[in-house]
Amino acid sequence: NAGVMQNPRHLVRRRGQEARLRCSPMKGHSHVYWYRQLPEEGLKFMVYLQKENIIDESGMPKERFSAEFPKEGPSILRIQQVVRGDSAAYFCASSPGLALENYGFFGPGTRLTVL
Amino acid sequence: GQQVMQIPQYQHVQEGEDFTTYCNSSTTLSNIQWYKQRPGGHPVFLIQLVKSGEVKKQKRLTFQFGEAKKNSSLHITATQTTDVGTYFCAGRDGSGGSNYKLTFGKGTLLTVNP
C-alpha cells in the first residue's frame, strides 16, 4: 500500500525559471490537495483537484501558479518565473472522495529552493 | 476567514517532564487533526477528534476536543527524546463551507533535553 508520493523531494531553481512539482495520490484516490509550508509556519491550503477538474484554487496565488490533475498520471503544481519568496515545502494529500477517508496523510513533500 | 492559533510556539523540557500544546479556533470546527513533523520531514497524522468533549489516548499522548468544538489540546506525559518535533493542530470548518480545507496552527516546537 504505497502512500502519497511526491517528486522531486528537493528542487533548486534560479529566479525566473519554472518549477514543476508532482504528486501521485494513494491508490484508488481521485482527489488531491496541495498545501504550502513556509519556514516556521503551518501548512496553508493552496488548491483542491479532482481528476481533470479544479474544485477550489482559492489558496493559490493568482499569477504564476497553476495546478492540474489529468486523467492519467500525477497531479502537477507548476510555478512559473519563480521568485525567492516561492522557496517553501510543498505537500500534497489525497482522498478517495468527498468523505475524506484517509485524508490527512501527506506525501513527503517537495522542498523548493529559489536562488 | 477561519484562524487557528496554537500556543506555545516553543517548549523546551527535560526528559521525563510533561508537555502540553493548545489550539484555539476562531470558528466552530467539524473536527480537528493533530500532526507531528520532524525537522526536514513531512507532517505525520496522529489523530482526528470529531465529537464535542472527545478525549483520546495514544500511549503517553492525550488529545482533547473542547465542548464547544473550538479548542483542543495535546498532552504528552513523561516526554522522551523521541518526542522531539513540531506538533501541529489542523481544524476543519464546521460551518458547512469548504470542509475539505484544513487550517493549520503555526505549531509548537518541542525540544527535549536528555
Side-chain angles (χ1 to χ4, degrees):
Chain A
N1 254 344
V4 178
M5 303 188 53
Q6 291 187 249
N7 65 83
R9 298 288 297 276
H10 299 273
L11 183 61
V12 178
R13 285 287 178 265
R14 297 190 180 280
R15 280 179 296 169
Q17 291 185 320
E18 178 179 289
R20 279 184 180 242
L21 289 61
R22 288 176 290 278
C23 169
S24 296
M26 289 176 70
K27 188 176 180 181
H29 288 194
S30 58
H31 298 232
V32 166
Y33 315 82
W34 284 92
Y35 285 75
R36 176 165 68 174
Q37 183 179 34
L38 296 172
E40 300 197 10
E41 296 276 327
L43 280 67
K44 287 191 164 47
F45 171 83
M46 298 182 75
V47 62
Y48 163 35
L49 309 107
Q50 295 174 18
K51 286 278 187 184
E52 301 184 277
N53 281 308
I54 297 174
I55 307 303
D56 182 350
E57 58 183 349
S58 60
M60 209 148 67
K62 294 286 184 282
E63 299 186 357
R64 302 185 299 106
F65 284 72
S66 63
E68 63 176 8
F69 189 14
K71 188 177 180 181
E72 301 290 338
S75 175
I76 306 285
L77 180 66
R78 181 181 178 208
I79 312 172
Q80 295 179 290
Q81 298 175 311
V82 295
V83 300
R84 290 224 173 99
D86 297 332
S87 294
Y90 293 82
F91 295 98
C92 72
S94 68
S95 73
L98 285 174
L100 296 168
E101 298 101 314
N102 291 329
Y103 176 20
F105 294 94
F106 286 88
T110 295
R111 282 164 174 79
L112 172 66
T113 302
V114 179
L115 301 177
Chain B
Q2 181 184 47
Q3 290 186 330
V4 173
M5 282 70 70
Q6 195 172 348
I7 57 168
Q9 192 174 355
Y10 306 98
Q11 184 77 60
H12 179 74
V13 300
Q14 287 291 128
E15 190 171 21
E17 291 181 337
D18 291 357
F19 159 77
T20 305
T21 174
Y22 301 91
C23 191
N24 285 286
S25 170
S26 58
T27 60
T28 303
L29 301 170
S30 64
N31 60 57
I32 194 160
Q33 298 176 337
W34 285 92
Y35 295 83
K36 177 183 178 182
Q37 185 177 27
R38 292 181 182 275
H42 65 280
V44 175
F45 177 84
L46 294 176
I47 208 158
Q48 177 173 278
L49 304 171
V50 178
K51 298 175 184 174
S52 170
E54 190 170 14
V55 178
K56 286 189 177 180
K57 294 192 175 186
Q58 288 179 350
K59 298 183 180 177
R60 293 179 295 105
L61 279 61
T62 301
F63 304 85
Q64 293 188 324
F65 200 9
E67 293 291 340
K69 300 183 75 172
K70 293 182 74 173
N71 57 73
S72 182
S73 65
L74 158 59
H75 179 82
I76 303 178
T77 304
T79 54
Q80 300 174 358
T81 54
T82 53
D83 295 326
V84 164
T86 301
Y87 292 84
F88 291 97
C89 61
R92 188 165 289 140
D93 195 346
S95 63
S98 312
N99 67 346
Y100 45 79
K101 286 186 194 176
L102 290 171
T103 301
F104 280 76
K106 288 196 172 184
T108 296
L109 172 61
L110 172 65
T111 53
V112 179
N113 204 26

